[in-house]
Amino acid sequence: MSELTMDSLKAIMLRCSGVEEGVDLGGDIAGQEFRDLGYDSLAVLEMTSQIQREYQLEIPDEAIEELNSPGDVLRYVNDRLTPAA
Amino acid sequence: MSGDVTNRGRVRPVITGLGAIAPTGNDVAAHWASARNGKSALGVISRFDSSGYPVRVAGEVRDFIAADHVPSRLLRETDPMTHFALVATRQALNDAGVNLADYSDLDLAVITANSSGGVEFGQQELQKLYQEGPHAVGAYMSIAWFYAATTGQLSIRYGMRGPCGVIVSEQAGGLDALGQARRVLARGTRMVLAGGTDASLSPYGLVCQLANGLLADGDQPDRVYLPFDSGAHGYVPGEGGAMFTVEDLSMARARGVPRIHGELVGYAATVDPRPGSGSEPGLRRAIEVALRDAGVTPGQVDVVFADGAGVPARDRQEAAAINAVFGSRGVPVTVPKTMTGRLYAGGAPLDVVTALLAIRDGEIPPTVNIADPTYAAELDLVRDRPRPAPVRTVLVLARGFGGFNAAVVLTAVD
């Protein structure tokens, strides 16, 4: 599986959870907290569930709790995809 | 602040804002334009291929595009029942001229009725479950389907964190929500968002309803749902509902409310006796208690919005209850839901909207499609055309599957 890019992650976020009024996903959001972007813990769960299915990767619940920003997700996922590549 | 309430326990609950999403129209004005003129919105189900189903006719909400009104973030995690409520709420808040910034979140409450749950959302996730497996089921299934989902989303969206709740008593629920709104106002909440919506016209939703055995077959929209008619053989389902802002009269006036649609002066709820007991159903008692609660005599009631089950045995019970309280042809009776079908938790709130507009315009909207009234000697059924009449006091009845009866009395406020 190829790496998870920011564009793919944004597409997954939009598809799974849409976007809050007044939030622009177009800019640099890597370091922004999910809650500031309008995504609560359930939205993060939905997003990670989709990533697990698309990227055939298991993300344990304890790890999901630590994913606070899009940058966190990219790092977590790509660190674990690389060895298999 | 809740401590500012001067008439604690003696509130006069008034309805100051109306919102509606209904088969007859996607706002209050459109609904009333159809309903007052007897324009039925029933049709053969178009949402999905219903040709294999025993029930073909329904009252569908049409031309409603949720994405035009609801942000995508909220759209993804909610069922159409909640979309209807979100839009109807926006209408009601606009109508009421409310500036939510003037309130603390704990001074505002949300009380909705719900009956079907988020069945369309549920169907979509169940399909993923059996087609792709448990991992394909979305996280939002956990919050979208359940009865309280609409109350919860409204509470979050509008920052209403007072005593919120949901009432599940099938078709009676919309009136019970108003009764609960009154209780909450009496305890000091400044404004309650109350009402109910349901959206059960998906294949799974329809199949769930078939189990009660009360739905009407047939594919001629004007010959299917015939309450108080010799051809009555069940009801047709509808979707949508209505939302209200409810507040105390003195507080509404103090904030300079644009208009007061009417006052909730009486409410009662009863439960039918166990089936087969031979005891009288609870509807007459609900009417009598609501009138007593309102301090209104039967002679002062200008029109009754009947439940109109369309099921012969239940029509007979309702005709008997109305007759026992008002006497033969003692009061005009109407069933505007013959134009929409029965909207479950949304049915009675829509009737309340229609009743308040009847008060405003002095016109009783008709019951349609009744060719051969069964109870012509007892019930003065307003048929086919609106009946001009001074309307000051209205009794709205609703009965829910499972034995629920509810009645509210609404009056004009001078």
Side-chain angles (χ1 to χ4, degrees), chain A residues 34-35 39-48 64, chain B residues 73 139:
Chain A
F34 281 122
R35 63 164 178 266
Y39 299 96
D40 56 15
S41 59
L42 205 54
V44 174
L45 190 65
E46 177 73 12
M47 175 184 65
T48 50
I64 293 172
Chain B
R73 177 72 190 85

Side-chain angles (χ1 to χ4, degrees), chain B residues 258-285:
Chain B
R259 66 194 71 74
I260 291 168
H261 295 285
E263 179 175 353
L264 173 67
V265 290
Y267 161 73
T270 63
V271 179
D272 284 335
R274 181 172 50 80
S277 72
S279 304
E280 185 191 357
L283 183 60
R284 178 178 59 85
R285 204 157 38 89

